[in-house]
């Protein structure tokens, strides 16, 4: 449900061409960010206001994730 969890953490595939069972880790960058934006928005939807969302990724992608998340969540700190 919306606003139902206190802490959301993810360490998604980084789109670096690694071998995963049932997942392609070499998407076009636009397709990768579209996929990421979908699960990031879902994490934001279920997170209670004022709670914590932690996302691991390589620095280049982390910055892009931050820019998207900043539009839907209140930023507290790195």
């Amino acid at each position: 449900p919306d606003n139902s969890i206190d802490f959301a953490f993810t360490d998604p595939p980084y789109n670096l061409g690694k071998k995963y069972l049932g997942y392609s880790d070499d998407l076009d960058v636009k397709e990768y960010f579209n996929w990421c934006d979908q699960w990031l928005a879902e994490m934001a939807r279920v997170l209670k206001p004022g709670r914590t969302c932690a996302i691991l990724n390589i620095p280049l992608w982390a910055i892009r994730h931050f820019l998207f998340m900043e539009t839907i969540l209140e930023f507290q700190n790195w």
Side-chain angles (χ1 to χ4, degrees), residues 30-44 64-69 71-72:
K30 289 181 181 182
E31 187 178 357
Y32 176 70
F33 285 136
N34 181 54
W35 174 73
C36 290
D37 289 351
Q38 291 175 38
W39 56 258
L40 287 166
E42 189 64 10
M43 287 177 66
R64 168 51 175 72
H65 295 332
F66 165 76
L67 293 172
F68 175 73
M69 293 298 286
T71 67
I72 56 178

Side-chain angles (χ1 to χ4, degrees), residues 33 40 55-70 78:
F33 285 136
L40 287 166
I55 303 163
L56 293 182
N57 213 305
I58 60 174
L60 182 62
W61 296 165
I63 292 166
R64 168 51 175 72
H65 295 332
F66 165 76
L67 293 172
F68 175 73
M69 293 298 286
E70 187 178 43
W78 284 95

